[in-house]
Amino acid sequence: MNLLDCLIEGLLAIPAPGIWTTKIIPGLRSFGVIESDALLNNLHSILYITAFYHLVFLLSAWFLFPGISQRKIDCLLAEEKEKEIKVEHKYSRTQRAKSLSNQAALHLVSFLQTIIVLYLSISFLISHERSVIPYPDPESRIFGETRETRVICIFAIGYFIWDALISSVYSTLPFVMHGVVSTAMYAIGIKPYLQYYAPVFLIFELSNPFLNIRWFALKYLPSENHLCSRFQLFNNLIFLVTFFLGRIAWGWYQIGCLCYDFYMVSADPRYLYWDSLIIVAGNLVLDVLNAYWFKTMVCVAIKAIKGGAQKKHDDVKKAC
């Protein structure tokens, strides 16, 4: 068992407190706050995962990043002074370093979450392709359940609850809504309902590690260092390729597969019309946004390449 497996199984193995099973869960069930028994039975694990991600955030923001963030801000201030650049900063040196540390901690948690869900999702999909996990038809893909897909939903819900809460403090309303909507979608999955598609659509996260690496490179690496610039360029290219493959090529193909499976089981009494509509509408909106964002990123990349080529031409002309 590797380190990721130990972490995943360790979090899932933590038992619920006695009061949780004797008071809280029966209370939620009796008042109809949460109707899904599967969600109630795994709610303690979901909250443990939420707490785990917040612990990683706090340890990172308090201990891991403050020192390097302070040095980075000091370097920026020194560069401004050396180049005689007069910039009116809204926040003090300490406040800027604290803000940078908090943002770095957010990106570290995002990076960790992506690695965990991609590990779970890719492992499941590879096993499925080898026919180890049976999802042979639309009925099993919509109504079926395995421990693997349930665990994926648990980790996704745990993270997106944390994401919605932390975004309300450090980010904007669209990010809060993203966390809330994502939580609702994976809560539908744990019922169980279309659990097979939980790992399928988490492949969207394939580009996220490179997006987070890009952020760390921009914020902490020296921009004028040739080796760092090469690394950033290589990472940006991988980011664009994985974004296209994971969010556009894979995403549009899988929404077609999902709609086909819904059509095939629509006469089944277990079919949930409104839940299905929410999932399809949400994924279609996300697929359109992904296509728009990809177009924007490609345009920015082309502009940067042309700008770099023009600058190089001007430098050669000056040298001559």
Side-chain angles (χ1 to χ4, degrees), residues 10 30 50 100 158 169 188 205 212 224-225 232-233 245 258 269 276 282 288 296 316 320:
S30 63
T50 301
L100 183 58
V169 179
I188 290 172
E205 304 288 302
N212 286 303
E224 297 178 358
N225 184 284
Q232 290 183 56
L233 177 61
L245 293 176
L258 176 62
S276 303
V288 171
T296 303
V316 171
C320 295

Side-chain angles (χ1 to χ4, degrees), residues 164-191:
L165 294 174
I166 207 73
S167 295
S168 67
V169 179
Y170 294 103
S171 194
T172 56
L173 182 60
F175 286 95
V176 176
M177 294 306 299
H178 174 266
V180 171
V181 171
S182 298
T183 300
M185 285 189 172
Y186 285 96
I188 290 172
I190 208 171
K191 285 185 175 183

Side-chain angles (χ1 to χ4, degrees), residues 35 49 179 266 278 313:
E35 296 181 356
I49 291 165
S266 57
I278 290 169
H313 174 73

Side-chain angles (χ1 to χ4, degrees), residues 47 69 102 132 135 141 156 169-170 176 219-220 247 257 259 270 272 283 287 295-296 302 316:
L47 296 180
S69 297
N102 288 336
V132 176
Y135 277 97
R141 289 192 290 271
V169 179
Y170 294 103
V176 176
K219 295 297 181 180
Y220 288 107
R247 292 181 178 266
C257 294
C259 290
R270 295 172 294 173
L272 304 176
N283 275 285
D287 286 336
K295 177 189 173 185
T296 303
I302 292 172
V316 171

